[in-house]
């Protein structure tokens, strides 16, 4: 397992649960039996469905992924029902409760739920996995592992899985662990050297006296030595306090909303920005309205954590290939046109910098932590972040999905919503978009106590789109 994947295992607790997932709405009824048969078929060809953890004694080295030779699909595939006719709020409440439950690490780290009882003879499929297994893009791959591109595709043989990899014997594992411990000082030195040029990108660290000048000086020297182009400098971002910052609880709320993707693209074309800019602006406008309604809008712009995918297009490997960068949401700007332009300029700057020098500090920091201390260090850091000055206010993300109709067990998938995570480090609010077949599914995950009226934010997303639409005319 990579160092970054191990961090997602290490920080997890009953409060900071590291699940990510997706919710699909199907046009028609589904049964658990149908989905088990489908899972049996897909298990044979989708490695991440068969992988389970194998830990190293005393935590001396990072865990291994090993093949589960007999995946218990009766455990992984479950069925629930809403009281008919179930509405969106009831469905979201159920998904929020499922999402806050930790996955059992004795099994492959995924579960699928068939949820019946929705009005209109619809059914829902909720898939969740541990963030150590997949990142946002990989989560989309996992979700779509249960989907087809035609209603009745030719069924594959659901025979035995591929021959599992050899499980290393205990002596070999211990030998590798000792070798890793011997190499730790060199690895730590390399990680520090690789991280210093990115100090101005790291939450909280960038606000320490001297961090930005040191980062710029080292980056300037390495750039000249390597003959590289100068990367844009990032602004200093002071993180204000909001009602959704501070120690979160173990309980979640979830809301969802779908927006027409063609209208989002129309706004993108009209203003000369990107789809991602529009999504970030919609999130900023919705949060701004929520803060105004709670008399809690800061004079300074909010600071959002924006994940960037490092995974190559089309790659389906497990694990995380992701980094994060910070951007200002300009929530203090009242004029919607000015706010969108300011967000575009901020996003353009970090995009240009990312294209020239992809942020590697996250992987570097993870590599520098000794394996035996990973969990302890992660949980201690999260506790400090929760009780001190916020590192960021919230997380805003956008995951591109397939733009063709999909089917699950022969039923058309109408829309898909992302179900992401919150934690003490990233704030008690996460707004993620997932585009699918002409629709933009927005998933909002919050701390239950911090944002009790999460559906207001979902409504404000529609209001924000209408506001931009009116500017286009």
């Amino acid at each position: 397992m990579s160092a970054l994947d191990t961090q997602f295992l290490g920080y997890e607790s009953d409060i900071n649960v590291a699940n990510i997932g997706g919710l699909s709405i199907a046009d028609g009824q589904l049964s658990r039996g149908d989905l088990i048969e489908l899972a049996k078929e897909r298990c044979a060809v989708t490695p991440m469905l068969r992988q389970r953890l194998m830990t190293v004694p005393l935590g001396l080295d990072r865990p291994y992924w090993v093949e589960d030779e007999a995946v218990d699909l009766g455990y992984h595939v479950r069925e629930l029902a809403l009281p008919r006719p179930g509405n969106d709020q009831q469905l979201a409440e159920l998904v929020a409760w499922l999402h806050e439950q930790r996955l059992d690490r004795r099994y492959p780290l995924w579960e699928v739920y068939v949820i019946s009882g929705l009005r209109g003879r619809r059914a829902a499929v909720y898939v969740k996995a541990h963030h150590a297994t997949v990142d946002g893009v990989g989560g989309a791959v996992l979700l779509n592992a249960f989907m087809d591109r035609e209603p009745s595709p030719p069924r594959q043989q659901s025979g035995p899985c591929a021959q599992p990899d050899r499980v290393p014997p205990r002596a070999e594992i211990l030998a590798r662990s000792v070798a890793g411990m011997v190499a730790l000082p060199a690895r730590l030195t390399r990680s520090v050297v690789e991280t210093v040029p990115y100090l101005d990108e790291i939450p909280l660290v960038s606000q320490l006296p001297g961090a930005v000048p040191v980062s710029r000086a080292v980056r300037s020297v390495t750039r000249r030595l390597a003959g590289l182009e100068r990367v844009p400098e990032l602004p200093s971002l002071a993180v204000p306090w909001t009602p959704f910052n501070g120690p979160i609880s173990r309980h979640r709320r979830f809301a969802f909303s779908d927006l027409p993707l063609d209208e989002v693209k129309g706004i993108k074309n009209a203003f000369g920005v990107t789809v991602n800019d529009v999504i970030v602006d919609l999130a900023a406008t919705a949060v701004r309205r929520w803060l105004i309604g709670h008399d809690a809008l800061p004079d300074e712009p909010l600071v959002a954590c924006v994940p960037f995918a490092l995974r190559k297009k089309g790659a389906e490997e497990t694990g995380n290939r992701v980094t994060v960068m910070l951007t200002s949401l300009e929530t203090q700007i009242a004029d919607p046109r000015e706010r969108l332009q300011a967000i575009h300029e901020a996003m353009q700057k970090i995009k240009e910098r990312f294209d020239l020098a992809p942020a590697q500090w996250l992987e570097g920091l993870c590599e520098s932590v000794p394996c035996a201390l990973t969990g302890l260090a992660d949980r201690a850091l999260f506790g400090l972040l929760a009780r001190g000055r916020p590192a960021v206010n919230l997380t805003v993300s956008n995951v591109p999905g397939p733009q063709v109709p999909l089917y699950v067990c022969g039923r058309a998938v109408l829309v898909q919503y992302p179900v992401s995570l919150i934690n003490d480090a990233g704030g008690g609010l996460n707004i993620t978009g997932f585009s699918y077949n002409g629709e933009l599914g927005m998933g909002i995950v919050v701390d239950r106590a911090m944002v009790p009226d999460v559906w207001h934010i979902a409504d404000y997303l529609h209001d924000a789109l209408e506001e931009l639409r009116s500017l286009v005319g």
Side-chain angles (χ1 to χ4, degrees):
M1 180 181 290
S2 73
L4 179 55
D5 295 342
T6 306
Q7 298 298 318
F8 285 108
L9 286 176
Y11 86 70
E12 188 176 45
S13 65
D14 288 339
I15 293 175
N16 291 296
V17 178
N19 294 332
I20 59 173
L23 176 66
S24 302
I25 308 298
D27 185 15
Q29 299 298 302
L30 293 169
S31 72
R32 178 171 177 262
D34 291 338
L35 209 57
I36 285 179
E37 288 302 313
L38 180 63
K40 186 184 301 183
E41 172 188 313
R42 301 302 157 84
C43 227
V45 295
T46 308
M48 69 176 68
L49 297 179
R50 309 189 304 267
Q51 291 181 335
R52 62 174 175 83
L53 287 172
M54 184 181 72
T55 58
V56 174
L58 303 177
L60 296 178
D61 201 356
R62 298 195 293 265
Y64 287 76
W65 288 119
V66 298
E67 293 271 359
D68 192 325
E69 299 183 31
V71 180
D72 183 359
L73 295 179
Y75 169 84
H76 289 279
V77 182
R78 308 179 185 187
E79 186 170 18
L80 296 170
L82 298 173
R84 296 180 184 275
N87 57 36
D88 289 348
Q89 287 73 20
Q90 290 171 316
L91 175 61
E93 188 77 7
L94 177 58
V95 170
W97 181 79
L98 294 172
H99 199 62
E100 68 191 30
Q101 309 301 317
R102 295 180 63 176
L103 289 158
D104 191 331
R105 298 187 181 186
R106 296 173 298 176
Y107 298 88
L109 297 177
W110 62 272
E111 293 173 359
V112 178
Y113 292 83
V114 183
I115 304 172
S116 60
L118 277 68
R119 67 165 51 112
R121 291 188 57 78
R122 298 173 302 151
V125 176
Y126 164 65
V127 180
K128 76 173 179 180
H130 200 285
H131 211 322
T133 308
V134 289
D135 52 29
V137 175
V141 173
L142 174 62
L143 178 64
N144 291 323
F146 294 92
M147 308 292 170
D148 297 301
R149 297 198 171 214
E150 52 185 300
S152 302
R155 299 260 69 98
Q156 302 175 6
Q157 294 295 324
S158 57
C161 299
Q163 183 67 28
D165 295 335
R166 180 184 67 90
V167 178
R170 184 176 296 269
E172 182 179 333
I173 291 175
L174 291 176
R176 291 183 184 180
S177 302
V178 171
M181 294 175 65
V182 171
L184 179 60
R187 190 168 69 238
L188 177 59
T189 302
R190 184 180 67 252
S191 299
V192 170
V193 171
E194 293 175 348
T195 303
V196 168
Y198 304 103
L199 291 179
D200 57 343
E201 299 176 5
I202 305 176
L204 285 186
V205 174
S206 62
Q207 301 172 27
L208 296 176
V212 173
V214 169
S215 174
R216 289 174 178 173
V218 174
R219 194 162 55 243
S220 176
V221 172
T222 55
R223 174 181 58 82
R224 287 197 300 269
L225 291 176
L228 300 176
E229 185 177 348
R230 182 178 183 272
V231 298
E233 300 295 345
L234 297 177
S236 177
L237 299 174
V239 184
W241 182 89
T242 70
F244 38 80
N245 290 120
I248 65 171
S249 72
R250 63 173 299 175
H251 302 297
R252 309 287 182 260
R253 291 186 191 271
F254 174 61
F256 52 85
S257 178
D258 52 287
L259 308 173
L261 187 58
D262 59 342
E263 293 190 14
V264 172
K265 291 181 177 179
I267 292 168
K268 180 262 296 186
N269 295 332
F271 288 100
V273 297
T274 68
V275 168
N276 202 47
D277 294 341
V278 177
I279 293 173
V280 173
D281 180 76
L282 294 175
T285 303
V287 173
R288 169 185 163 84
R289 294 194 178 193
W290 186 89
L291 288 169
I292 291 174
H294 291 75
D295 194 24
L297 179 65
D299 295 331
E300 305 84 10
L302 298 192
V303 177
C305 169
V306 180
F308 274 74
L310 298 174
R311 188 186 302 268
K312 294 180 180 179
K313 187 175 182 180
E316 297 188 4
E317 70 268 20
T318 58
N320 287 268
R321 293 291 298 144
V322 67
T323 189
V324 296
M325 298 191 74
L326 305 186
T327 188
S328 57
L329 291 191
E330 311 300 342
T331 44
Q332 82 286 3
I333 299 178
D335 183 85
R337 188 186 301 270
E338 292 180 14
R339 186 166 57 249
L340 175 59
Q341 184 61 33
I343 287 174
H344 167 66
E345 292 173 0
M347 292 294 294
Q348 184 68 19
K349 185 169 292 187
I350 66 172
K351 180 67 166 58
E352 290 174 358
R353 174 158 170 163
F354 182 80
D355 287 342
L356 291 172
Q360 305 290 345
W361 62 265
L362 185 58
E363 293 183 350
L365 283 180
C366 295
E367 287 281 357
S368 66
V369 179
C371 298
L373 300 179
T374 294
L376 182 62
D378 288 343
R379 290 189 289 272
L381 177 61
F382 273 55
L384 290 174
L385 291 174
R387 290 163 177 81
R389 183 176 179 179
V392 297
N393 293 121
L394 71 158
T395 300
V396 179
S397 183
N398 173 38
V399 180
Q403 296 306 307
V404 296
L406 297 177
Y407 301 85
V408 53
C409 297
R411 281 71 169 177
V413 176
L414 304 176
V415 66
Q416 296 185 350
Y417 304 105
V419 192
S420 198
L421 59 82
I422 58 172
N423 53 47
D424 286 330
L429 171 60
N430 183 304
I431 302 177
T432 300
F434 183 82
S435 56
Y436 160 68
N437 194 30
E439 293 290 329
L440 178 62
M442 303 295 294
I444 308 161
V445 177
V446 301
D447 178 85
R448 188 174 187 86
M450 291 177 171
V451 187
D453 50 352
V454 63
W455 283 97
H456 288 181
I457 298 180
D459 293 337
Y460 294 152
L461 288 171
H462 285 274
D463 296 341
L465 182 62
E466 179 59 34
E467 185 177 66
L468 292 177
R469 189 191 297 121
S470 66
L471 293 179
V472 175

